[in-house]
Amino acid sequence: MDSTHIIRTDEDLTALYGTGSRASLEKEVDYIHPHYRDMIEASSFVIIASASEGRLDASPRGDPAGFVVVEDERTLLIPDRRGNNRVDTLHNLVADPRIALLFLIPGVNESLRVNGKAVISVAPELLARFEINGKPPRSVVIVNVHRVYFQCPRAAVRADLWNPEKFLPRSALASNGTLLADLSGDREYHKRDATRDQTVRATLY
């Protein structure tokens, strides 16, 4: 790789890209505008980015639309549902409270970006607010919002993201059991495939 063509400074980036259009700057605010609240409440899927020394993570969260609660114009509440218990995001947030969110809305090409700082709460009354089927989350991430802005639709349009004709059949890729078996060398993981869908559905909460 020719290192003479590597961008290394903010000045180099500005020379290449400029400073952004007026619209790209005006859409960024330091609170949850009512239009942005509508987008959050319509979203059923958010990607959470976090970091700490030696670690980076981007993890998905999903639930019925509105699962991320807009408590007020500078506070979001995100329930932490059942998963694999690696809790990479939570480990990061304990060490470094910075958080970034990318909200996706099925069928809508714009997405919403939120940056802020977060803490993890296990307050019983807060967990109870997020019970589903009588099961509360183990914790709730409380986000203090610093910056909010919507992402233009170009990436989703280029990807044709919500076009069902472009959806890939799950069978086109290695199954869960095959992935684990090949990565670990343990062929017993193949047995998971027979009941994987039922197991996931039965353990959502």
Side-chain angles (χ1 to χ4, degrees), residues 28-183:
E28 182 176 354
V29 295
D30 63 358
Y31 67 100
I32 302 170
H33 186 280
H35 291 321
Y36 289 165
R37 180 179 188 131
D38 290 343
M39 295 179 75
I40 292 169
E41 292 179 345
S43 174
S44 56
F45 191 85
V46 63
I47 298 169
I48 301 178
S50 60
S52 59
E53 186 174 357
R55 276 197 304 240
L56 291 171
D57 187 60
S59 293
R61 297 290 189 275
D63 241 335
F67 77 100
V68 174
V69 170
V70 181
E71 188 75 342
D72 57 53
E73 66 177 16
R74 285 187 169 82
T75 310
L76 296 176
L77 306 176
I78 308 174
D80 194 67
R81 302 294 185 191
R82 290 187 63 167
N84 56 23
N85 289 329
R86 282 183 52 128
V87 293
D88 293 320
T89 296
L90 303 186
H91 281 299
N92 284 342
L93 292 177
V94 167
D96 184 335
R98 292 177 301 163
I99 191 170
L101 309 173
L102 179 67
F103 288 92
L104 301 180
I105 306 165
V108 175
N109 286 327
E110 287 85 0
S111 52
L112 188 72
R113 298 170 65 173
V114 177
N115 295 336
K117 291 187 176 180
V119 295
I120 304 164
S121 175
V122 292
E125 67 277 9
L126 185 57
L127 301 182
R129 290 176 56 183
F130 291 92
E131 280 189 10
I132 292 183
N133 299 332
K135 298 178 181 179
R138 286 191 179 179
S139 65
V140 173
V141 176
I142 304 174
V143 180
N144 176 241
V145 172
H146 292 179
R147 312 302 299 176
V148 190
Y149 54 104
F150 73 92
Q151 187 72 39
C152 81
R154 290 187 183 89
V157 171
R158 285 192 293 260
D160 207 5
L161 186 61
W162 305 115
N163 182 354
E165 295 181 2
K166 301 291 182 67
F167 290 177
L168 190 68
R170 182 63 185 85
S171 59
L173 299 173
S175 68
N176 181 275
T178 296
L179 284 166
L180 285 167
D182 289 350
L183 289 168

